[in-house]
Amino acid sequence: MSAIVAGLIVCELLPISLLTPIANDLRVTKGAAGQAVSATALSAMTASIASAPICRRFDRRLVLRAFGIFLVLSCMLASVATKYELFLVARIALGFGLGGFWSMAASVAMRLVPTVLVPKALAFMYGGTSLAMLIAGPLGSYMGVFIGWRGVFSVALLACVASLIWMWRAVPAIPPSSPARLSATFTLLLRPQVRNGILATVLFFCGHFAFFTYSRPYLELVSHFDAAGVSLCLLGFGLANMAGTFLSASMLRRNMKLTLGGVPLIMTLLTIAMAIIGNNPIVSATSMVGWGLLFGVVPVAWTTWLTWVVSDQIESAGGLQIACTQLAITTGSGVGGVLFDVGGIRAVLLGSGIVLLVSSLIVLLGATSSKTSTSFVQQP
């Protein structure tokens, strides 16, 4: 499952590291090319909401395989796309696989391991996300220079096929548990703690992707890095992101609320530093590494929080969380594109920092109760 996660996230993020050549080759603006991320997120949002009720009677192994096939189809279409419209179709297909797979991932992980190992299992699975950050950023940018952006998607296709075959053979049969209905997903929002937590999650991912979608133009235009420099910065981001993912379990045991609230607060400070003194290459490179480390913590943290707060309806809750996250990615990358085209990269940084600050305040002012925080701290 972690391997498929890596493939999904690699393909979702490749347009970020390849934004400039994709925009030039397809004859669209960088802002329009960035909307390819929004298209994926929009279809993923739809799939994540609908997957639990539609697939409620099917073996989860078969469902995960089906969503993996969407990943392979997306890579195939992107690798041959010569028009912007076909590239968007490929991104929409990826969204169906991404949203559906993620909506089931937490519940499947909970059934594959004992309860006390759920945070570690989620951290391991999200390790695929960190690996994807490592691959999609530096390698995507670097390989794009030599084999073109379509060639990069062709390489990704081969890796995704191998991952799908691996999961096809390795994941055991997982019969459906309690049937999930569409109404149950939205009923969860009536719970104040869930509502506040989802809002903080949405704002965090919105703020992150508002900037990260346009991190390559930032490194090129503000810090004046060439292609090799951009690749090295994104490599640092990916390595730090992987470290953050595997640090998350121990951070959650110490203080979940401080982790969820403190991370976006520090990221807000980083956006200020990048906006004011980002023309210094050392500041830019260090900030990207710090951003990667902090971002690696958050997906594991919020998913672990959800498995405890809504353990009775985890598939519906997972679908709701993924849908809201994808909405945040759609909004963040979309608004970031508008800000970039209108006000430049510093306007993007300002908008990103404001949204991250609001996310932090929601958590620190009570998105998670002390009871839930204590429960996490007590887990081995």
Side-chain angles (χ1 to χ4, degrees):
M1 288 179 63
S2 184
I4 288 291
V5 164
L8 287 165
I9 304 301
V10 162
C11 294
E12 183 180 24
L13 298 182
L14 274 179
I16 294 175
S17 63
L18 299 169
L19 193 69
T20 301
I22 288 175
N24 293 339
D25 194 46
L26 297 180
R27 296 182 178 87
V28 295
T29 67
K30 291 183 176 68
Q35 303 304 329
V37 178
S38 301
T40 301
L42 188 61
S43 60
M45 180 178 64
T46 304
S48 60
I49 287 290
S51 58
I54 291 176
C55 304
R56 65 180 184 270
R57 301 187 186 280
F58 294 100
D59 186 310
R60 294 304 182 242
R61 174 173 59 179
L62 297 178
V63 174
L64 294 179
R65 288 174 178 177
F67 291 132
I69 290 172
F70 273 107
L71 167 62
V72 172
L73 175 63
S74 172
C75 289
M76 290 177 59
L77 293 176
S79 65
V80 298
T82 56
K83 294 185 178 297
Y84 183 64
E85 292 78 10
L86 181 57
F87 187 65
L88 283 181
V89 171
R91 305 301 298 173
I92 291 170
L94 174 64
F96 287 132
L98 181 72
F101 192 94
W102 270 123
S103 67
M104 298 287 175
S107 64
V108 171
M110 289 178 66
R111 298 175 65 184
L112 290 176
V113 299
T115 302
V116 296
L117 294 180
V118 168
K120 290 183 179 179
L122 292 174
F124 187 84
M125 188 169 64
Y126 274 100
T129 302
S130 300
L131 179 63
M133 295 281 186
L134 187 62
I135 294 172
L139 287 183
S141 176
Y142 183 75
M143 292 174 62
V145 175
F146 299 99
I147 61 176
W149 63 269
R150 293 186 189 86
V152 175
F153 275 101
S154 297
V155 173
L157 171 61
L158 297 177
C160 290
V161 169
S163 298
L164 178 60
I165 293 172
W166 186 6
M167 187 186 72
W168 199 290
R169 295 175 59 87
V171 174
I174 307 172
S177 52
S178 58
R181 299 189 179 279
L182 186 60
S183 59
T185 301
F186 297 102
T187 302
L188 291 172
L189 290 175
L190 297 178
R191 305 183 188 185
Q193 192 177 5
V194 174
R195 186 168 59 247
N196 290 337
I198 290 293
L199 177 59
T201 306
V202 166
L203 290 171
F204 174 82
F205 281 95
C206 183
H208 168 73
F209 277 94
F211 163 67
F212 188 64
T213 304
Y214 303 95
S215 56
R216 176 166 179 163
Y218 161 74
L219 294 170
E220 291 173 336
L221 299 175
V222 177
S223 306
H224 305 294
F225 283 110
D226 57 14
V230 170
S231 297
L232 285 175
C233 287
L234 294 176
L235 175 62
F237 175 94
L239 289 171
N241 184 264
M242 183 173 292
T245 298
F246 289 103
L247 285 173
S248 59
S250 62
M251 292 175 66
L252 288 171
R253 284 197 298 270
R254 287 177 172 82
N255 194 313
M256 183 187 69
K257 187 171 183 176
L258 185 58
T259 299
L260 289 172
V263 165
L265 181 60
I266 298 173
M267 292 173 75
T268 299
L269 299 177
L270 288 178
T271 62
I272 296 173
M274 287 187 282
I276 297 176
I277 51 177
N279 57 337
N280 185 313
I282 296 177
V283 171
S284 291
T286 304
S287 297
M288 288 297 295
V289 170
W291 193 280
L293 179 69
L294 295 165
F295 179 71
V297 174
V298 173
V300 180
W302 276 119
T303 304
T304 307
W305 173 84
L306 197 69
T307 62
W308 282 85
V309 174
V310 202
S311 58
D312 56 324
Q313 296 186 50
I314 188 58
E315 285 194 357
S316 296
L320 176 64
Q321 184 187 48
I322 296 304
C324 292
T325 299
Q326 295 303 321
L327 174 62
I329 295 173
T330 303
T331 305
S333 57
V335 172
V338 173
L339 290 174
F340 181 82
D341 287 342
V342 173
I345 192 63
R346 285 188 169 85
V348 175
L349 285 166
L350 177 62
S352 172
I354 292 173
V355 175
L356 287 169
L357 178 60
V358 176
S359 174
S360 174
L361 293 176
I362 289 174
V363 176
L364 295 176
L365 293 177
T368 57
S369 68
S370 58
K371 178 180 178 182
T372 305
S373 298
T374 303
S375 298
F376 272 102
V377 172
Q378 290 175 345
Q379 293 306 312

